Amino acid sequence: MAQLWYPAHKEPGGHAAPYLPNAPTTTRALARLMHLPPSTFAHLRYVTTHAVEDAPVAQAEQSYPVLIYLTGLGGFRDVAMCQIQELASHGYIVVGLDQPGAAGSVRFPDGREIRMPAVERIQALIDQSLDPTENPPSLGGRPLPDGILPYLAQDVSFTIDQLANLDADPTSSPLAGHVDLAHVGAFGFSLGAMVAAEAAHLDPRVKAVLMIDAAMPANVMKSGLQQPSMWMTRPASTMRLERSRSGGWTERDIAQTLNTMREVFERHRAGNAYFLQMPGMFHINYTDAPYYSPITRQLGLTGPVNGRHMHDVMNAYTLAFFDAYLKSRSAPLLKRPDKRHPEVEFEGR
């Protein structure tokens, strides 16, 4: 399933779109993933966004660059509205994907629902893509020696193909004729960052890629990335603090995440690679999740940072990166560490 956000022409009388189009399905899956009662996040069905459904496309530009968003394991396509709305409001078409097997639950228009399999089963397939073993796990009775990431990355290529069809058919969407497929980027969080990296490795149509807080796939470690790339994460000390408050983040996880991200960054060709660390950010601070309920802080899931401010900082760097490489705009923020953002440890190559 895909959902598109885009720059819209201002018109009075538009109705705000819901945050979660399939709220009951999504909130149940979210509660199930966090081992909480099904009603924990039921209130999210009443949350609206700054978007308007089927609004006319803004005429400021003939066409708009495309960004494909990929969520973490058990997540959903709307989980980073903090980034998505910001990017759409600055002239990007953003496509959020719910990938069966990766998203907490995927509901199709015909009523079919595909739940994420057991975390342990999917994690074994992810691990095979990160650190392959001689006896690979199977999916549907078929061994996957490269794990699941190349399979999930095919959804990115398929999405680009479908956008080309949409753009060429004036009856298909308000976006027809406005999709700039010469300038496509991908960004993702956690598992979505791994998928984004794999997609950038496999499909040269992805011209820029942003990867947030995740280890890099073995295929990317072997070959590197050719397009402009940015990594966002946090220091090992912050990951250990998160472990002390809410569990997870073993020393192996920490080393694998930071070492593989840094190695691909340091092997990248000079001039268009960036590595950002944000001390105090816990994993879900890179999404909307801290605002779902006070329980996220009570459970120790959020870090000791001003979350709204850090979202502003994250968006500033995200926008600067994609503006530089998909719109050929000047991006002073990418030149050197910025005194306006002392909370960020910035490196560029």
Side-chain angles (χ1 to χ4, degrees):
M1 283 298 296
Q3 184 172 348
L4 281 69
W5 296 265
Y6 54 90
H9 176 68
K10 292 182 180 179
E11 278 193 346
H15 296 286
Y19 177 56
L20 298 178
N22 296 303
T25 299
T26 304
T27 57
R28 285 195 300 267
L30 185 61
R32 188 166 57 245
L33 180 70
M34 298 180 68
H35 306 290
L36 294 169
S39 61
T40 304
F41 302 107
H43 61 282
L44 293 180
R45 73 180 64 187
Y46 303 110
V47 176
T48 57
T49 68
H50 295 292
V52 175
E53 292 182 344
D54 297 320
V57 180
Q59 299 301 309
E61 304 288 343
Q62 173 58 43
S63 61
Y64 297 96
V66 174
L67 297 173
I68 299 172
Y69 176 70
L70 300 143
T71 187
L73 183 63
F76 46 93
R77 63 185 185 263
D78 322 79
V79 76
M81 199 64 67
C82 55
Q83 280 182 298
I84 289 169
Q85 289 189 148
E86 183 75 6
L87 289 162
S89 72
H90 283 87
Y92 291 91
I93 296 169
V94 184
V95 186
L97 300 185
D98 278 345
Q99 298 183 278
S105 183
V106 182
R107 189 171 184 84
F108 293 96
D110 62 6
R112 285 180 301 146
E113 180 183 348
I114 300 178
R115 290 188 177 187
M116 186 184 78
V119 171
E120 297 78 12
R121 182 182 175 197
I122 292 298
Q123 190 61 55
L125 294 164
I126 295 169
D127 290 342
Q128 183 67 19
S129 294
L130 301 178
D131 189 12
T133 65
E134 293 183 358
N135 298 307
S138 299
L139 181 65
R142 176 185 174 187
L144 296 183
D146 293 322
I148 200 170
L149 293 183
Y151 173 77
L152 293 175
Q154 290 179 34
D155 285 343
V156 175
S157 297
F158 179 78
T159 297
I160 298 172
D161 293 340
Q162 295 306 305
L163 287 171
N165 295 337
L166 177 153
D167 191 54
D169 181 0
T171 66
S172 64
S173 162
L175 284 170
H178 298 286
V179 184
D180 180 3
L181 290 175
H183 298 92
V184 175
F187 68 113
F189 158 74
S190 195
L191 171 61
M194 302 175 193
V195 177
E198 189 78 24
H201 163 67
L202 294 172
D203 195 328
R205 293 177 296 179
V206 178
K207 303 299 185 185
V209 58
L210 166 62
M211 298 146 286
I212 302 174
D213 214 34
M216 292 291 96
N219 290 336
V220 174
M221 291 290 294
K222 181 178 179 180
S223 302
L225 294 172
Q226 305 305 312
Q227 54 274 90
S229 303
M230 176 178 279
W231 291 264
M232 288 184 181
T233 187
R234 58 262 170 72
S237 58
T238 296
M239 294 179 175
R240 293 185 182 111
L241 178 62
E242 181 173 349
R243 179 177 66 202
S244 72
R245 293 188 177 181
S246 58
W249 294 100
T250 66
E251 287 301 308
R252 181 182 182 277
D253 294 335
I254 293 170
Q256 184 181 47
T257 299
L258 294 179
N259 292 348
T260 59
M261 293 176 89
R262 178 164 289 282
E263 183 171 338
V264 181
F265 163 69
E266 291 182 347
R267 288 172 48 204
H268 203 283
R269 63 182 185 180
N272 57 13
Y274 308 92
F275 194 92
L276 279 66
Q277 295 193 82
M278 300 178 179
M281 291 280 278
F282 284 7
H283 199 52
I284 70 167
N285 278 117
Y286 290 104
T287 72
D288 304 332
Y291 306 108
Y292 292 163
S293 168
I295 200 171
T296 58
R297 181 168 292 277
Q298 294 165 7
L299 293 175
L301 298 174
T302 57
V305 292
N306 181 325
R308 293 185 184 276
H309 172 69
M310 293 307 291
H311 277 176
D312 290 341
V313 173
M314 178 174 66
N315 283 337
Y317 279 96
T318 299
L319 189 62
F321 174 68
F322 285 124
D323 276 357
Y325 294 105
L326 298 183
K327 293 188 175 184
S328 299
R329 290 182 176 174
S330 174
L333 198 58
L334 303 183
K335 300 296 184 184
R336 62 188 66 85
D338 194 298
K339 294 180 180 179
R340 295 171 298 174
H341 302 299
E343 56 279 281
V344 174
E345 299 173 8
F346 174 87
E347 299 173 63
R349 290 180 55 81

